[in-house]
Amino acid sequence: MPLDRRTFLRAGSIGALAGGALLTACSRPGQPAPATITAAAADIDLGAGIVVSTWAWDRQVPANEIRLSRGQTLNITLSNELPEPSTIHWHGLAIPNDMDGVPILTQQAVAPGETYRYQFVVPDAGTYWAHPHFGSQLDRGLYAPVIIEDPADGADYDDELTVVIDDWLDGTGTNPNAVFENLRRTGMKPMEPGGPGVSPTMPLGKDGGDVSYPYFLINGRVPTDPRAFDYPPGRRIRLRIINAGGDTAFRVGIPGVPLLVTHTDGFPVIPRQTDSVLLGMGERADAIITLADSSVPVVAAPYGKDGYAQLNLRVNNAPTAGAADVQRFVASLNNQVPLDTATLQPTDTDTLAPAPPSQTLDLRLGGPLAPYTWVINDAVYDPLAPGLPVSPGQRTRIRYINESMMFHPMHLHGHTFEVQGPDGPRARKDTVLVPPLATVVADFDTDNPGKWITHCHNEYHLEAGMATYLQYTA
Ligand SMILES: [Cu+2]
């Protein structure tokens, strides 16, 4: 398999370049090889001597990057060696409903010992990811970046690097199932006195989440033993940043290096420069950075929580900032006004054709109710109940109306919506942060028939009921 420099760099973009074995992760342009993803228990080294027993795909966290060109056919068989059923959801991709990986709604969950073949054309270029849609599996180690290339990619950068951020607790004396059971027993937090506490530097309010995590990871490593990548000075790098967390939004920045954000949730935006970007669970941002002649860390600060995640970009083999400097940078990140990707403007070619909505769904987000349930329109998710009926071929509006004191990253399957700002259309997205007591308006066309779940991407809110689904036929 001949590798040009570009392909080689791409192949190494997730794991250590020295590993070599990751080269199998690359798919040759024009020849996407059929592959199997095996979901199984695995012992994973998070660095610094920390080895956790978790569930992972192909015994790696993150799993091998899946990389195709737009219009190619993804063909991957899930082999489930877990002790419970599982699926794969292809987050952000507008694909046929029966490939969407939602148990009961779109397929029967894949039983232990069984396999299921996912095969579909990848419709849009961009940064996506894959994860299960069963129980609390999203907060284990089961996830992979899905990168869909466009022929025009690469004109404005030299290299690219996928940056997957995660909050981690599995195998540290607890696991997501135990955490959820504990929330059911004790998760009713006292109301915050004085309201949610939203401010420019705290745009999601004071409540950062329901779960405490001992570790925060970038590309599967703790910050005391981060992954490092070597670059020459002046290199322009497209970072493809994915928040794979279960209960944590992250502020992402690099000391002294501005981020030029070019895409969110796969789709292009009018580029905007920022010192830090805020990503809810499930959201992605692509940002181009230009390295100077010194090494720098990529830092992800968990919103409203202590700690941080780190990855190092090494230039001229110079040492990266020490822990005290990184911690000072984390403190400065936490006091900044971060960029919310929903405020970005779409490029001309990526706006929806202007049209008033012909149908509107109001989704009121509420909770927590005893015993730790989160609801939409006063109900917990029931995949066997009828879905919200919508008509095909219509401009459709969802209003996510947050009546709770906590933020929710709301995700719609099978479509990319256009966030509506007070002054007109904003970015195309599939996951959007809805701050406490705020309303976010999202328009899309019903052009992909099926049963499509929309849910909070907080793993524990989803499991506690915060989902509903739309339903239409062609
Ligand atoms: Cu939520």
Side-chain angles (χ1 to χ4, degrees), residues 311-328:
L311 172 149
N312 288 343
L313 307 175
R314 230 165 18 203
V315 180
N316 290 337
N317 219 16
T320 311
D325 287 334
V326 175
Q327 282 161 14
R328 267 192 293 277

Side-chain angles (χ1 to χ4, degrees), residues 101-359:
V102 179
I104 301 171
L105 222 52
T106 72
Q107 68 169 101
Q108 289 306 310
V110 185
E114 299 293 312
T115 65
Y116 189 88
R117 184 172 176 183
Y118 293 94
Q119 184 173 9
F120 53 83
V121 172
V122 291
D124 295 301
T127 300
Y128 303 93
W129 63 302
H131 59 76
H133 223 285
F134 190 93
S136 56
Q137 292 174 13
L138 180 57
D139 212 14
R140 299 198 192 241
L142 303 151
Y143 55 84
V146 178
I147 307 301
I148 310 301
E149 298 179 349
D150 184 283
D153 283 349
D156 48 356
Y157 54 89
D158 306 306
D159 296 312
E160 54 180 88
L161 179 66
T162 305
V163 175
V164 189
I165 308 167
D166 195 12
D167 46 16
W168 191 276
L169 56 79
D170 196 25
T172 64
T174 187
N175 64 60
N177 289 351
V179 168
F180 185 69
E181 285 162 24
N182 190 51
L183 285 169
R184 279 266 148 124
R185 283 194 302 272
T186 65
M188 300 299 294
K189 289 184 283 194
M191 291 293 280
E192 291 277 2
V198 172
S199 70
T201 57
M202 293 292 281
L204 304 179
K206 284 180 288 193
D207 191 345
D210 293 345
V211 178
S212 296
Y213 289 85
Y215 302 116
F216 298 99
L217 315 180
I218 294 182
N219 293 0
R221 289 299 187 107
V222 295
T224 47
D225 191 5
R227 297 222 185 266
F229 298 89
D230 288 296
Y231 297 98
R235 209 70 168 167
R236 298 169 307 169
I237 306 168
R238 176 181 183 172
L239 302 177
R240 295 177 178 270
I241 309 167
I242 302 167
N243 182 351
D247 177 69
T248 310
F250 288 93
R251 305 170 191 253
V252 185
I254 303 173
V257 178
L259 308 170
L260 183 67
V261 178
T262 60
H263 298 69
T264 182
D265 294 3
F267 278 64
V269 293
I270 295 173
R272 195 188 298 176
Q273 186 168 304
T274 184
D275 288 331
S276 61
V277 61
L278 177 65
L279 289 179
M281 301 77 89
E283 286 191 297
R284 292 86 68 209
D286 293 26
I288 296 174
I289 59 166
T290 302
L291 293 175
D293 55 2
S294 57
S295 302
V296 285
V298 177
V299 177
Y303 181 96
K305 300 181 181 184
D306 294 330
Y308 61 94
Q310 180 177 349
L311 172 149
N312 288 343
L313 307 175
R314 230 165 18 203
V315 180
N316 290 337
N317 219 16
T320 311
D325 287 334
V326 175
Q327 282 161 14
R328 267 192 293 277
F329 180 67
V330 168
S332 77
L333 272 182
N334 286 332
N335 286 306
Q336 285 178 24
V337 179
L339 174 68
D340 179 345
T341 56
T343 65
L344 292 162
Q345 305 288 321
T347 59
D348 287 346
T349 50
D350 288 283
T351 47
L352 287 182
S358 56
Q359 46 193 359

Side-chain angles (χ1 to χ4, degrees), residues 408 456 458 461 466:
H408 305 285
C456 179
N458 182 309
H461 294 188
M466 196 165 229

Side-chain angles (χ1 to χ4, degrees), residues 281 374 406-410 456-458 460-462 466:
M281 301 77 89
W374 290 89
M406 188 176 175
F407 75 92
H408 305 285
M410 296 304 296
C456 179
H457 223 281
N458 182 309
Y460 298 92
H461 294 188
L462 171 60
M466 196 165 229

